[in-house]
Amino acid sequence: MRTLIRTTILSTVFPQLTKPGSLPYSQRASICCLRERANANPIVLNNNISRQLSRTFFRSNSFNGVTVAGSTHFRKPCAFMSTLPIMSNVRVLVDMDGVLADFEKHFLAKFREQYPDEPYIEVKDRRGFYVTEQYEKIKPDLKAKCLEIMEAPGFFLNLPPIPGGLEAVRAMDQMDGVDVFFCTASINKYKYCVTEKFQWIDNHFGAEFINKLVLTRDKTVVSGDLIIDDKPEITGAEKNPAWEHILFSTPQNSDIHKPNQRRLSGWKDPDEWKQIIDSKRQEKEMRMSAKQ
Ligand SMILES: [Mg+2]
């Protein structure tokens, strides 16, 4: 790994970079800390006012021909300067339904409650991405009943969290060099679904996480390094999405076997998802080194 850093006293640089309104803490220029490598822990030179820092900081700027970049993502003030390209964070897109929110469990409970005399499918026996398709095969009129449940007010709002998912996303959010976003789609009849997804994030993560919600019907056009999603095939307008699709294991995709597709078995073992992120970071570093 090539060294990105010159141990320059950035406090002499910051005042000239921090134009009012563009960089939020010009008066705080005495803060600086340097990182020797893009993936190394920041060396804190002065963190007396770190509590004042917001997450909104500049990502990169140019000063006297060198790139200067920094972020408060690291919870400590940090900055580094380099004449080399700056290694960007690993951006992780996390799906909601089936990954963070337990759609299948809640759906089955509602279905049995509303249609106690109809046949149903245990969660462990669900196969195929769309619940409507499997139920329709049992009885054609069940498709409409399935849709009625999903389209009802409160359905998406009351999805229970999948164990470990909330903690994992919060931990990702705290990781050096990682940006996490929610990337989720709405059902066709979106009247309640869309607003309830925002509300779900607010309820379980807090209002500040609303800024991380990407609601789209086409995830292929969203940029990221990784997308953790339980849908076996993510297709759309972009034939070569920027992200690597990590298939989140569920009963309904248990019969899918793609030799080159990595899986995440669940959230219970934090080492599993951390290893995936680390490997992606290493891959990005190698790609960057190869370009230099
Ligand atoms: Mg999903």
Side-chain angles (χ1 to χ4, degrees):
M1 178 76 193
R2 293 174 69 174
T3 301
L4 287 172
I5 298 304
R6 288 170 42 206
T7 52
T8 305
I9 303 301
L10 293 182
S11 59
T12 61
V13 176
F14 275 154
Q16 296 171 67
L17 288 171
T18 52
K19 294 172 188 168
S22 60
L23 301 176
Y25 56 98
S26 57
Q27 305 84 1
R28 306 168 189 169
S30 61
I31 319 161
C32 68
C33 98
L34 306 177
R35 294 201 315 165
E36 289 193 351
R37 295 184 309 152
N39 64 345
N41 289 327
I43 304 165
V44 177
L45 301 182
N46 179 348
N47 67 351
N48 290 340
I49 58 173
S50 63
R51 290 185 303 279
Q52 299 176 42
L53 299 179
S54 71
R55 291 290 302 275
T56 310
F57 183 33
F58 64 99
R59 290 287 176 198
S60 65
N61 211 321
S62 188
F63 177 73
N64 283 354
V66 299
T67 302
V68 180
S71 171
T72 57
H73 179 81
F74 307 102
R75 299 297 187 206
K76 295 171 183 174
C78 82
F80 52 91
M81 60 187 298
S82 169
T83 55
L84 302 174
I86 298 299
M87 167 84 178
S88 59
N89 286 354
V90 175
R91 184 179 300 154
V92 185
L93 311 172
V94 184
D95 178 32
M96 289 177 67
D97 302 329
V99 174
L100 295 176
D102 201 336
F103 178 98
E104 293 286 341
K105 180 181 175 183
H106 191 60
F107 173 84
L108 180 59
K110 285 286 170 191
F111 185 87
R112 294 190 66 182
E113 180 185 303
Q114 286 182 227
Y115 306 107
D117 299 326
E118 295 286 12
Y120 62 90
I121 302 165
E122 294 282 3
V123 172
K124 66 179 175 54
D125 297 323
R126 277 275 298 115
R127 294 294 181 274
F129 185 72
Y130 295 105
V131 68
T132 48
E133 291 181 358
Q134 196 175 2
Y135 273 77
E136 191 179 22
K137 285 176 186 166
I138 302 174
K139 264 180 83 182
D141 68 316
L142 292 185
K143 179 178 180 179
K145 291 177 176 174
C146 291
L147 289 172
E148 194 179 315
I149 289 170
M150 287 183 252
E151 292 162 2
F155 178 79
F156 284 93
L157 182 62
N158 293 312
L159 295 181
I162 288 178
L166 304 184
E167 295 81 0
V169 168
R170 287 195 193 100
M172 269 182 220
D173 183 55
Q174 297 285 324
M175 282 175 75
D176 286 1
V178 176
D179 291 328
V180 61
F181 289 87
F182 308 101
C183 189
T184 185
S186 164
I187 58 173
N188 287 334
K189 291 197 176 175
Y190 52 81
K191 182 176 179 182
Y192 302 110
C193 177
V194 168
T195 51
E196 289 183 7
K197 279 176 180 270
F198 277 91
Q199 189 67 57
W200 196 93
I201 295 294
D202 194 355
N203 289 351
H204 293 283
F205 288 98
E208 68 273 22
F209 278 76
I210 291 294
N211 294 333
K212 296 176 174 294
L213 178 54
V214 180
L215 237 162
T216 176
R217 298 277 290 176
D218 188 343
K219 297 180 182 180
T220 68
V221 299
V222 181
S223 73
D225 298 297
L226 294 165
I227 185 166
I228 299 172
D229 201 300
D230 64 318
K231 191 174 185 180
E233 294 279 352
I234 304 176
T235 55
E238 175 56 61
K239 303 307 172 199
N240 296 295
W243 35 252
E244 177 191 353
H245 178 194
I246 305 296
L247 185 60
F248 190 86
S249 292
T250 59
Q252 59 270 29
N253 65 35
S254 59
D255 55 343
I256 304 293
H257 302 288
K258 293 185 188 172
N260 296 322
Q261 185 172 51
R262 293 199 280 176
R263 276 180 176 265
L264 178 61
S265 68
W267 296 116
K268 286 181 182 166
D269 178 8
D271 287 342
E272 188 182 354
W273 59 260
K274 285 178 183 173
Q275 190 276 329
I276 290 171
I277 292 175
D278 283 345
S279 65
K280 183 55 66 175
R281 191 200 316 278
Q282 287 165 17
E283 182 189 315
K284 287 186 79 172
E285 287 175 358
M286 285 173 64
R287 213 183 306 135
M288 198 172 85
S289 295
K291 284 181 184 171
Q292 291 164 9

